[in-house]
Amino acid sequence: MDAQNYSITVRKGVFEGEECFEAKVREFPHLTEYADSSDEAYALAVDAIETTITIFKEKNKPLPVPMEVADDFSGRVTLRMPKSMHRAYSQWAEDEEVSLNQLIVNCLSHALGAFNHKQATPYQAFAAKVVPIETGNRIAYNRRVDLSTVLKAAEPEVCYG
């Protein structure tokens, strides 16, 4: 596997009081390298990826797949859901005076933010507000829910997002 296929970002900044370049690898969230130049930081990141790949293979650990280029995505998704959920989201969108598409994108953005927050600080508890949704004879009432337990249960042994 070619280390240069992974998503490496390099930025200039002040880290621990010193101005330098930081290279991070999206697929390996704990892999960070620092150097005096952008090229050197990039080269260190590539070397660290190659070393990590070797270690993962020696230990028979699954390797994260390099992320696909965002240009390959159209931004359009066909989504299927139960009729009752469709009705509930449509009613919610109407109450908020937004389109159903805008409401769903907002919900997905919130979930992505929660996921990114979890990636930055694993298992830190945070709560989300559950909206009332009527489905036949059942109603989900407004209440606060601790999502950290759900996120822990859903997370595989290693998650590279």
Side-chain angles (χ1 to χ4, degrees):
M1 188 163 299
D2 186 0
Q4 292 182 343
N5 288 338
Y6 286 92
S7 307
I8 302 170
T9 57
V10 179
R11 69 183 180 111
K12 186 176 183 179
V14 177
F15 306 96
E16 296 184 16
E18 188 176 327
E19 185 176 80
C20 61
F21 289 85
E22 174 190 64
K24 289 188 162 208
V25 182
R26 172 78 169 125
E27 296 86 347
F28 296 95
H30 300 293
L31 196 155
T32 307
E33 293 289 342
Y34 299 91
D36 293 328
S37 73
S38 175
D39 291 339
E40 185 182 359
Y42 180 84
L44 287 171
V46 168
D47 184 56
I49 293 168
E50 290 169 347
T51 303
T52 302
I53 289 171
T54 301
I55 292 169
F56 272 46
K57 285 182 177 179
E58 287 173 359
K59 295 186 177 194
N60 291 322
K61 283 189 161 189
L63 280 167
V65 177
M67 294 187 71
E68 295 181 32
V69 178
D71 295 343
D72 294 342
F73 297 94
S74 68
R76 296 181 61 90
V77 175
T78 300
L79 176 66
R80 300 206 185 281
M81 65 178 79
K83 290 178 183 179
S84 60
M85 182 183 287
H86 188 177
R87 182 181 66 241
Y89 273 97
S90 294
Q91 289 172 347
W92 186 12
E94 188 177 310
D95 291 346
E96 295 293 327
E97 297 179 359
V98 297
S99 69
L100 178 59
N101 184 75
Q102 186 176 357
L103 179 73
I104 291 172
V105 168
N106 188 34
C107 291
L108 292 172
S109 296
H110 179 77
L112 183 59
F115 175 77
N116 288 334
H117 176 76
K118 178 185 73 103
Q119 291 288 77
T121 53
Y123 306 128
Q124 182 176 357
F126 66 94
K129 189 174 184 180
V130 176
V131 297
I133 299 175
E134 295 183 31
T135 56
N137 295 333
R138 300 176 67 188
I139 298 176
Y141 295 97
N142 281 341
R143 58 189 166 90
R144 299 199 50 90
V145 176
D146 180 2
L147 296 178
S148 62
T149 306
V150 175
L151 294 172
K152 282 182 198 177
E155 181 182 30
E157 183 179 6
V158 178
C159 180
Y160 293 102

